[in-house]
Amino acid sequence: GKMSIAKITGKISTTIQPISENIPLNLPSFLSSGASVLDIVNPVMTLEIGNTMGIPVNLDLTLTPKKGGIVQTAGIINTNKINIAPASVLGQTTWSRYWISNSCKGFSAGFDTINVPLPNLLKSIPDQILISAVPTITGDKQTIDLSSSNNMLNLKYSVSVPLSFGKDFVIQYIDTIADLQKSLADILKLAHQVDIIAIVENSIPLELSLEATALNSSKAVISGVTISS
């Protein structure tokens, strides 16, 4: 007769392929221009990993912010405290849930907390986040069901950014009225004084201050021009 092996228990030594995924951030233009700084008090990332195998795994997670394709090194976040529990019943999902933030206040029941300086990830206002995860099998004894087609890890994540800002929060929106001299050429021949009035509509729920600088055709500051708002 034939004997088939359904389950193996022992020390499994193998390499699980790392996870690497770029997450685009579609931010409004008023945040991504100028020298804006996004200082969020308590952003939260939740991470849920479902395991259908009898294999415990440690996850080394790195979050890398990028802006214009350039890595923002000051905002890189790394943690190796994510431990994925093995399945209680082979083939059925056992979930490991993590609440990742800088304060871990108000975390939901059923989540383990990990404290990292998560506001730094968003401070430079990146246009994408690179999520890198390196899994490593842990422990001296693991079990795998060879007959199951459901041997997998299921990853779910979400990011919550409450509108509560810190002291470093800055929005800087820069615009330029070009070729002004050309537009006013006929008037400037006759006038001794010219007043330019700008009306700004603000749809952002924040009070903003307005500054303006007069520049010549060489983009040097013109002295003697009064700017008021």
Side-chain angles (χ1 to χ4, degrees), residues 41-56:
V41 171
N42 190 30
V44 173
M45 179 178 186
T46 59
L47 193 63
E48 300 179 69
I49 309 102
N51 190 357
T52 63
M53 301 174 289
I55 301 176

Side-chain angles (χ1 to χ4, degrees), residues 38-45 99 101-102 118 122 159-166:
L38 190 59
D39 187 9
I40 302 294
V41 171
N42 190 30
V44 173
M45 179 178 186
W99 183 280
S101 74
N102 61 304
L118 202 58
L122 303 172
V159 178
S160 173
V161 183
L163 291 180
S164 180
F165 304 110

Side-chain angles (χ1 to χ4, degrees), residues 45-201:
M45 179 178 186
T46 59
L47 193 63
E48 300 179 69
I49 309 102
N51 190 357
T52 63
M53 301 174 289
I55 301 176
V57 176
N58 173 266
L59 204 62
D60 191 333
L61 179 69
T62 302
L63 306 174
T64 303
K66 293 182 178 181
K67 190 171 186 178
I70 300 173
V71 171
Q72 307 297 300
T73 54
I76 295 175
I77 302 294
N78 176 261
T79 179
N80 60 359
K81 297 180 180 179
I82 299 173
N83 295 306
I84 305 170
S88 301
V89 178
L90 294 182
Q92 297 182 20
T93 303
T94 295
W95 290 95
S96 299
R97 295 180 169 91
Y98 286 91
W99 183 280
I100 304 171
S101 74
N102 61 304
S103 70
C104 292
K105 293 180 179 179
F107 67 92
S108 299
F111 283 80
D112 291 320
T113 60
I114 297 177
N115 288 70
V116 296
L118 202 58
N120 293 347
L121 181 72
L122 303 172
K123 220 164 200 179
S124 63
I125 314 183
D127 49 42
Q128 60 180 316
I129 302 293
L130 174 62
I131 298 179
S132 303
V134 180
T136 304
I137 295 174
T138 60
D140 296 322
K141 185 178 180 181
Q142 301 89 23
T143 302
I144 188 167
D145 186 351
L146 299 178
S147 64
S148 175
S149 60
N150 196 30
N151 290 324
M152 65 180 66
L153 293 176
N154 185 16
L155 177 67
K156 298 191 294 185
Y157 60 87
S158 67
V159 178
S160 173
V161 183
L163 291 180
S164 180
F165 304 110
K167 61 181 178 60
D168 294 328
F169 177 67
V170 176
I171 289 179
Q172 185 182 62
Y173 179 78
I174 300 176
D175 199 2
T176 303
I177 304 174
D179 295 326
L180 189 60
Q181 184 178 21
K182 185 177 181 181
S183 303
L184 300 176
D186 294 336
I187 298 175
L188 292 175
K189 293 177 182 178
L190 305 174
H192 296 286
Q193 177 177 322
V194 175
D195 294 334
I196 299 175
I197 300 174
I199 299 174
V200 181
E201 293 185 1

